[in-house]
């Protein structure tokens, strides 16, 4: 992998993590998680062999399922609280999903 590509991927991982840590909005948390997911997959597939492809596919499917469940919890929290902020008290069903 070229150094410029690796640098871009690492900067995406760092910026996605910083977005998650500093956000006060559920949508920004989700965007940060998705940035990390899309940056980790090329790292997993750095060596092109069947095991790497299988690992990255499993990681993607697991992350897509977790992302869907997180968004469902966020939607339930929005339904009951009316706000996207992290500081609002969570509904028990939303809290369990998240």
């Amino acid at each position: 992998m070229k150094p410029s590509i690796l640098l871009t991927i690492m900067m995406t991982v760092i910026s996605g993590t910083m977005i998650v840590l500093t956000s006060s909005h559920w949508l920004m948390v989700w965007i940060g998680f998705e940035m990390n997911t899309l940056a980790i997959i090329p790292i997993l597939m750095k060596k092109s062999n069947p095991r790497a492809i299988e690992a990255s596919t499993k990681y993607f499917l697991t992350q897509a399922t977790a992302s869907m469940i997180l968004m469902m919890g966020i939607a339930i929290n929005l339904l009951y609280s009316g706000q996207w902020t992290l500081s609002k008290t969570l509904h028990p069903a939303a809290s369990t999903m998240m």
Side-chain angles (χ1 to χ4, degrees):
M1 188 177 292
K2 293 182 181 179
S4 60
I5 294 173
L6 187 60
L7 179 67
T8 303
I9 290 171
M10 290 302 163
M11 291 302 294
T12 304
V13 170
I14 291 169
S15 62
T17 303
M18 292 307 296
I19 287 172
V20 170
L21 292 175
T22 59
S23 65
S24 61
H25 196 273
W26 278 113
L27 190 62
M28 291 304 293
V29 170
W30 179 75
I31 288 171
F33 284 150
E34 291 301 314
M35 283 176 64
N36 282 337
T37 297
L38 294 175
I40 294 286
I41 290 175
I43 294 172
L44 289 174
M45 291 187 63
K46 190 174 181 180
K47 294 183 179 180
S48 183
N49 60 31
R51 292 178 64 95
I53 294 170
E54 179 185 2
S56 60
T57 303
K58 286 179 180 179
Y59 178 79
F60 176 76
L61 292 174
T62 304
Q63 174 57 28
T65 304
S67 180
M68 180 210 46
I69 293 171
L70 177 67
M71 285 303 285
M72 179 72 88
I74 291 169
I76 291 172
N77 188 46
L78 176 66
L79 179 69
Y80 285 104
S81 70
Q83 296 182 0
W84 285 87
T85 59
L86 291 171
S87 61
K88 190 70 176 168
T89 307
L90 298 175
H91 187 267
S95 179
T96 303
M97 287 181 143
M98 291 179 205

